[in-house]
């Protein structure tokens, strides 16, 4: 039910590189009839994080992070992008080019609007602080150790749960109930590059 496309953030991911071609190939060749839920993963944040050290650098991502990849996420309708590196938890609204294309919620339904970005870095090192400034795309933040559970009930219903390590209880969650005609029509070189945000 899932296709996971994983990037190596220690190597160049900009257009024209081998890794960019690899990422696009992974995203574009998924058969959404068999694997309807498309997940992007990377260690360093290539999307959105309001971690304090990113804010101090004047950014909310790795240098040249989402600049190169957000068009691919939107084009191939990536459901969720996961990152580590920042040792805390944060979830965005469905966001594209710094703009929420859908209000953050615990239940999304209808057609795909944009990718939800999640930092799940609560492990492996001391916890990281958040910037005192909360960006408009940042929906839920937690400075604690935790993990995420994904459940695909079927081709049109999915559940995301963030649990704290200390007790295993759910502290953040959302469900997606999605109509898939737009996804099933999307395959390599047949997805429009224009988006609802452009």
């Amino acid at each position: 039910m899932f296709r996971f496309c994983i990037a190596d953030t220690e190597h160049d991911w900009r257009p024209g590189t081998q890794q960019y071609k690899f990422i696009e190939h992974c995203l574009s060749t998924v058969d959404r009839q068999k694997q309807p839920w498309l997940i992007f993963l990377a260690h360093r944040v290539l999307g959105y994080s309001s971690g304090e050290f990113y804010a101090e650098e004047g950014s909310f991502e790795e240098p040249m992070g989402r600049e190169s990849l957000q068009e691919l996420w939107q084009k191939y309708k990536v459901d969720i992008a996961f990152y580590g590196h920042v040792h805390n938890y944060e979830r965005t609204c469905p966001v594209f080019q710094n703009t929420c294309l859908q209000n953050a919620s615990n239940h999304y339904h209808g057609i795909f609007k944009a990718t939800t970005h999640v930092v799940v870095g609560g492990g492996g090192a001391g916890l990281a602080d958040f910037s005192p400034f909360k960006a408009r795309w940042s929906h839920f933040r937690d400075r604690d150790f935790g993990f995420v559970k994904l459940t695909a009930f079927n081709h049109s219903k999915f559940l995301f749960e963030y649990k704290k390590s200390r007790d295993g209880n759910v502290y953040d969650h959302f469900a997606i109930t999605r109509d898939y005609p737009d996804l099933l029509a999307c395959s390599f070189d047949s997805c429009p590059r224009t988006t609802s945000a452009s």
Side-chain angles (χ1 to χ4, degrees), residues 27 117 190:
L27 297 175
H117 295 262
S190 73

Side-chain angles (χ1 to χ4, degrees), residues 115-168:
T115 302
T116 298
H117 295 262
V118 183
V119 173
V120 189
L127 294 168
D129 292 325
F130 289 103
S131 163
F133 168 77
K134 187 173 179 183
R136 62 183 174 270
W137 40 257
S138 180
H139 174 62
F140 188 99
R141 305 193 307 188
D142 186 43
R143 186 181 180 275
D144 205 348
F145 299 103
F147 59 96
V148 164
K149 179 182 178 184
L150 307 176
T151 306
F153 296 103
N154 52 42
H155 283 68
S156 59
K157 189 169 182 185
F158 164 87
L159 177 64
F160 169 103
E161 297 171 296
Y162 162 65
K163 300 182 176 192
K164 291 197 183 190
S165 298
R166 78 176 86 161
D167 58 16

